Amino acid sequence: MTAPLLSIQDLRVAFRMGHGVVAEAVKGVSFDIPENSTVALVGESGSGKSVTAMSVLNLLPDNAQRQGRILWQGAKGGSRDLLQTGLSELQSLRGKEIACVFQDPMSSLNPVFTVGQQLTEPLMKHLGLSARQALARAEELLGEVGIPEPKRRLESYPHEMSGGQQQRVMIAMALACEPRLLIADEPTTALDVTIQRQILELLGKLKRTHKMSVLFISHDLALVGEIADHVVVMRHGVIREQGPVADIFERPQDDYTRALLACRPSLEGNPARLMVIDDHIAQTQAAARGEASATVTAKAKDPDAPVVLEVRSLAKSFWLKQGLFGKREFKAVRDVNFKLRKGHTLGVVGESGSGKTTMGLTLLRLHEPTSGEVIFDGKNLLALGDKERQVMRRRIQVVFQNPYASLNPRFTIGQTLVEPMAIHGIGRDLAEREQRARSLLEKVGLDGRAFGKYPHEFSGGQRQRVAIARCLTLNPEVLVLDEAVSALDVSVQAQVLNLLKDLQDEFGLSYVFISHDLAVVRFISDEVLVMKDGQVVEQASAEQILAAPREDYTKRLLAAIPRGYQRATAG
């Protein structure tokens, strides 16, 4: 029997936290990666999957302690234990035999070096190519990963490329020395569905072409079901289940695996609430005891509810420098029209660069509009003076995609919630404002202990809950949610989406929900706008868009959504 390319045996990883405290992140994990195969490591944030993968090349902080064995079948034959390998030997392996692609290409690419400089470095270091040879090979690599005009792009800096192009550059760098194992850590999480589809197809093609193995890390079982040969499911640092992809999808044995499969929004059927991990496990256990589970019915929407926001012919242009003195107009948003009713949700979907975020920020006047009207409470928001705009801004709030960047790291959660109330004169005194802040934290599923903590002490999903609570301090009538759940893993995403529905039912909130994920939009939206190149190309109810999309672009967005493992059929 052929030895696996990589064998992880009883791996344990702990972190020294100070004051003698040790936090165990990985607790006895074992699995193999065979030659020419894709193994997916799946689990929620905090499951230990990334720590497991980064242990292979010891890309962990200095306070990490590793135990166990990681056996690597080197190119020259014979296995070696990477846990016992010295730093200089590991450095010779990194990039040459084992390469990594990370989640955020902008934090992985050096902003002061061109793409060409960053691609040629590993070629010259590991393969001994001359600068000229390395540049020629770099151009070939960019062409291989599907970047147009590769010769010109060698001179580009990372910030001059889109997110999908940056990720392709990262993949080109990883493949530069033709590694035998590629570790891909959440490489598509922040990308829209069509770019995600392209990256997945690219990885599959490159795996076959280069005859390499892939360790693919993700929180999304639907995604890995399309590319993996073998799946390892982790939770709380231990493996809950592992096996061939067909077994995991068709015959999952563990309750946690079944829950992961169930909590992602689906394009078929639309439940009143999404199942979250603990709910699904509790329901399964109740069913095993013969107990019936409670069913939740969706609250009916009033089709004749009053219109709270009307957008007419909204447009936004940016002026870009061209030549030495010239400039040209870039029309980011063109002639957008819609009406939003009280208690309803308008979903806005499109690829990166479609203009959906610019449209959302422009109607809030976080970008100054080029033309158009935004009618709210009988007034055009785009024509208000500063004083009137401040009053209106209290009634229309925004939740951004990245809760890490939108919360002040120097403020406690209590300060974050109390400050907007003080600015807008809500509450008689500090005590009343603090009481309101605590009740809102409970409303979004956080207990009173959160009040005195800082943002870095919370997970991404908890921070997004804080961001939503901060909006609610001002009693808004409309929330603009800009990719508010796209960076969250599927179970936390389900919790936040359920929370948004509950708050809408309780307070009659209206949402403009901006997303690139049509499955999420279907769950939460009543009506959908599909945007492309700054224009609305299709507008209809959520059911109509999904059942009978008219535009090829909408059909392409739908086709790109991961659907999990599909058994091949003969014929």
Side-chain angles (χ1 to χ4, degrees), residues 231-392:
V231 179
V232 180
V233 182
M234 288 186 69
R235 191 186 197 196
H236 302 326
V238 299
I239 292 176
R240 298 293 296 257
E241 185 170 2
Q242 63 174 305
V245 64
D247 289 351
I248 295 296
F249 275 81
E250 296 180 348
R251 295 174 293 279
Q253 300 300 306
D254 193 85
D255 287 344
Y256 178 66
T257 309
R258 295 191 191 103
L260 271 184
L261 286 164
C263 66
R264 179 174 169 78
S266 170
L267 291 173
E268 292 84 32
N270 202 16
R273 294 179 68 78
L274 292 171
M275 295 293 287
V276 300
I277 298 291
D278 291 338
D279 289 347
H280 191 278
I281 291 173
Q283 189 181 82
T284 303
Q285 292 170 346
R289 296 191 299 267
E291 299 171 7
S293 56
T295 56
V296 181
T297 55
K299 186 177 178 181
K301 298 286 181 76
D302 178 6
D304 300 316
V307 173
V308 293
L309 189 74
E310 183 175 358
V311 172
R312 302 173 185 165
S313 303
L314 186 66
K316 172 62 181 173
S317 292
F318 295 96
W319 292 93
L320 307 177
K321 187 176 179 182
Q322 189 169 39
L324 197 57
F325 300 109
K327 60 181 181 178
R328 64 183 177 87
E329 184 182 12
F330 171 65
K331 296 181 178 180
V333 176
R334 296 182 276 182
D335 194 31
V336 171
N337 299 272
F338 65 81
K339 293 179 181 179
L340 178 64
R341 295 184 181 276
K342 182 178 174 60
H344 285 231
T345 299
L346 175 76
V348 184
V349 296
E351 298 171 287
S352 298
S354 63
K356 57 188 188 297
T357 292
T358 303
M359 184 274 291
L361 297 180
T362 302
L363 70 86
L364 291 165
R365 275 187 78 176
L366 295 175
H367 286 319
E368 282 301 321
T370 305
S371 61
E373 295 178 306
V374 177
I375 308 301
F376 179 71
D377 198 17
K379 297 177 180 177
N380 180 10
L381 296 182
L382 306 186
L384 296 179
D386 290 344
K387 193 170 183 180
E388 285 181 296
R389 184 168 53 171
Q390 181 82 339
V391 174
M392 283 297 186

Side-chain angles (χ1 to χ4, degrees), residues 94 101 126 148 383 390 424 455 467:
R94 292 171 184 167
V101 178
H126 289 301
Q390 181 82 339
H424 289 276

Side-chain angles (χ1 to χ4, degrees), residues 86 126 211 220 230 268 290 308 326 376 457 495 525 565:
H126 289 301
K211 294 184 169 55
D220 190 345
H230 189 90
E268 292 84 32
V308 293
F376 179 71
E457 298 179 78
Q495 293 170 17
S525 301
Y565 174 74

Side-chain angles (χ1 to χ4, degrees), residues 5-6 56-59 70-76 78 80-83 85-100 125-126 174 177-181 183:
L5 181 65
L6 186 81
V56 174
L57 289 174
N58 197 18
L59 298 174
I70 301 178
L71 301 181
W72 170 250
Q73 296 295 324
K76 296 175 183 176
R80 53 184 150 168
D81 186 354
L82 297 184
L83 291 190
T85 302
L87 180 60
S88 61
E89 199 174 347
L90 276 178
Q91 287 176 334
S92 69
L93 277 176
R94 292 171 184 167
K96 188 176 182 182
E97 291 194 46
I98 306 175
C100 298
K125 179 179 179 181
H126 289 301
C177 300
E178 301 196 354
R180 300 176 68 211
L181 173 64
I183 298 174

